[in-house]
Each structure stands twice: as structure tokens, then as C-alpha cells.
Amino acid sequence: MPDRSVALVTFTDDGYFPLMEEMVRSFRRFPGAADVDVCVFHVGLSEERRARLPDLVERHVEPDWPEDRDFLRGQPDRRKAFAVPPFIPEIFPGYDVYLWIDADCWVADWEGVALAIDTAREDGALAIAATVDRAYGDGAPGVKLRWIADRPAPPKMWMYKHARHILSPAEARAIAHKPILNTGVWALPAGAPHWAAWAGYARRFWDARAIVGDQIALNLAIWRDGPAVRILPAACNWLMAQALPMWDPDVRRLLEPQPPYRPISVAHLTEFKAERLDRSLTLAFPVKGGGVYHRTPRYDPDLDTPDFDS
């Protein structure tokens, strides 16, 4: 059994390996990470990359499908990233709290990471951020407005669309407008009831012969079954495609682009497909005090090296 009580868990395949490595290194540089084991489940890694894992993480595994079903065995292995998360305590047993961070994220400030871990441990709740914030320019991701002959039509709702795989129209409508909890970053105690509820909804999707991602199954578990959830500030999982953070050159940190300009804790590269593949591509980040700064949205060890307070 591990000596340490917290595990950081993530997923990678060959395509995500450079991002995963950057995420882990961005996490490791903080003093608070010294008490956390890094655990990775992976599929389809080259022999060269598999050989690098022991120097990067404490534990790694190429998991089987959670259940022996013909439907699951017929899926591409990369879809295990959608199926495995509800079963993490079985794959990496022995920890008190599991912290998940997507491979296409990187840790810019420790405060939000500590908040997620401490909230899960102290409240026994799921600590997770939603896909809404005052600074996100497009409002709530997952809601697409439509117009027919210059008249508004009923919007397309991400929650409703995916819930309809397993719920009746009335049941899906009842949770359609709930905020989407983004599974890019979250923390959850090992013994919490959320795991069983989450796995239960995953199985219902498999019964319907659908793999639609771990995010919808977790959202249904929270909004329908009601286990405790604590919604974290968006800075704990900042969706950079919704609003680029502000860059503070004096302290070399990413900040929220609206007052009070608090530090971004975890930067999430959702939708930045080209930039995720090519770190030479830059974006124009607004600078505190005016102007723009062109930099990669990915972790840059030569640039993102703030002084640590602890």
C-alpha cells in the first residue's frame, strides 16, 4: 500500500504523451507535489515511451476494459480513456484521495490544486469546476443557440443530447440546464459514494451500446443521484479556449482576465488542437497593464517558473 495518501491520475496514449509529460513536470515543480504519487493509465504507447514512464511516474498500467463485454472489446483501445475513470480506485488502490488532471492541462499555480485536494478530503465531496465563468466569452459551453427564419429555436443542449441515450425525454429535460461539470480536473475521496453512482451510469450507457465519455456519466451521477459536490472556481480548471488568461510578466504567472485577476491554477488546452501538437505555435495573451504577449499556451519550463511561497 502506498505511503502517501493522494494520487494524481491521468491518461495518455502516444499522441498525448508529450502533453502528459509536460503536465506531470509542471505539477512536480511545486513543493506540495512531493507528497503525491503520479499514476498513469495508458494505451498504445511505443516501447520507447513506455520505457520512460518509470522515471516520470510512480505507477502506470495499461488497463483492461472495466467489464468483459463484446461491445467494449469491439471499441478502439483509446476509448478506455472514457470508460476507465469511474474505476480508478480499483486500478490504483490504496490512496485516500484521487486527483485527476487531463494530459492536455498544466499546473500554473498550486493554490487551486491544494483547494481541490483539501475540499475532497475534508468535505468527502467531489471537488470540480464547471464550464462557466464571468470571463468566458461564449457563455456556457454545451449550449448552442439556433435560429430558424430569424426566430430563435430551442437550443441544442449537450447535457440533454447525451442523457437521452439512457433517460426519457422528461428525465433528460430535468437536468438539461444544469451546469456542465468538466472532468478535466477533479478530486474525490476513495470511499465516496460517487464512484458507484458514476460507474452505474457508465454501465447504463454500455447497456445502450454507447461510449459517450466519462463526463456525462459523472454529471448524471451528480445531478440525478445527488452525492455531495463542491464547485470550484474556474481558475482550478481554466478553459483557455473560452478566454485566454492574462499574462503578468513581473511574476511570470497566468491570471484571470477579469478583476480581481487571481492566478490561474490549472490551464486547460481544450480545442487548441494545432497548439497541442506544435509548441512553436503562439497565441496573443493579454498583458497585465496593457499590450499582448505571444507565447505557447502549453507549459514552458523556461518561462513558467514563478517563485514559490511554500
Side-chain angles (χ1 to χ4, degrees):
M1 180 176 291
D3 293 331
R4 291 179 281 189
S5 64
V6 179
L8 165 65
V9 186
T10 195
F11 163 83
T12 191
D13 57 13
D14 250 5
Y16 271 85
F17 193 91
L19 292 169
M20 184 276 295
E21 189 170 22
E22 290 175 11
M23 185 275 286
V24 172
R25 296 193 186 284
S26 75
F27 179 86
R28 294 278 202 198
R29 67 202 171 109
F30 290 96
D35 295 326
V36 178
D37 280 356
V38 178
C39 303
V40 173
F41 70 88
H42 54 86
V43 299
L45 288 185
S46 66
E47 288 300 319
E48 183 271 333
R49 283 176 167 162
R50 187 189 294 262
R52 288 164 56 186
L53 282 173
D55 294 329
L56 186 65
V57 306
E58 277 73 32
R59 302 171 73 180
H60 65 92
V61 66
E62 185 166 2
D64 294 327
W65 288 102
E67 294 186 351
D68 186 17
R69 298 183 181 218
D70 290 340
F71 168 69
L72 292 178
R73 290 198 302 270
Q75 300 297 316
D77 274 355
R78 66 179 182 276
R79 291 193 175 181
K80 290 178 182 176
F82 298 151
V84 167
F87 305 91
I88 284 172
E90 301 170 26
I91 298 171
F92 297 112
Y95 298 95
D96 296 329
V97 174
Y98 293 90
L99 168 71
W100 175 277
I101 301 180
D102 273 358
D104 64 342
C105 296
W106 59 274
V107 180
D109 183 87
W110 188 254
E111 182 178 353
V113 173
L115 176 63
I117 294 171
D118 292 344
T119 299
R121 178 186 285 124
E122 295 169 8
D123 291 0
L126 172 69
I128 191 169
T131 59
V132 293
D133 185 79
R134 68 201 188 284
Y136 288 172
D138 291 336
V143 179
K144 294 182 179 180
L145 298 179
R146 298 182 298 155
W147 298 84
I148 298 176
D150 292 328
R151 293 180 179 273
K156 291 184 177 181
M157 308 292 291
W158 177 89
M159 194 91 74
Y160 179 87
K161 170 187 174 183
H162 292 296
R164 281 290 291 117
H165 284 283
I166 62 172
L167 301 182
S168 70
E171 290 172 326
R173 283 196 298 269
I175 50 91
H177 292 85
K178 293 290 187 180
I180 298 170
L181 306 176
N182 187 278
T183 51
V185 180
W186 50 265
L188 185 61
H194 308 59
W195 298 104
W198 191 4
Y201 280 102
R203 292 186 179 100
R204 289 179 63 176
F205 279 109
W206 303 338
D207 290 342
R209 303 188 66 79
I211 289 188
V212 294
D214 57 303
Q215 183 163 283
I216 182 62
L218 181 58
N219 273 265
L220 292 181
I222 294 299
W223 298 127
R224 283 178 52 80
D225 291 17
V229 61
R230 303 291 183 265
I231 299 181
L232 301 174
C236 295
N237 179 13
W238 192 264
L239 307 179
M240 289 203 286
Q242 294 298 316
L244 279 181
M246 179 178 290
W247 174 247
D248 187 335
D250 294 331
V251 296
R252 290 185 293 178
R253 295 199 185 194
L254 297 177
L255 309 176
E256 294 176 327
Q258 296 290 341
Y261 309 114
R262 293 169 296 195
I264 298 295
S265 289
V266 179
H268 196 165
L269 278 69
T270 55
E271 301 181 38
F272 287 143
K273 294 181 180 180
E275 290 80 6
R276 287 189 300 199
L277 294 173
D278 184 354
R279 65 174 303 111
S280 70
L281 298 178
T282 62
L283 299 172
F285 284 72
V287 174
K288 186 178 182 181
V292 296
Y293 183 78
H294 293 270
R295 59 156 293 169
T296 175
R298 291 169 58 171
Y299 171 57
D300 185 338
D302 295 325
L303 184 64
D304 299 303
T305 53
D307 293 330
F308 301 127
D309 297 323
S310 61

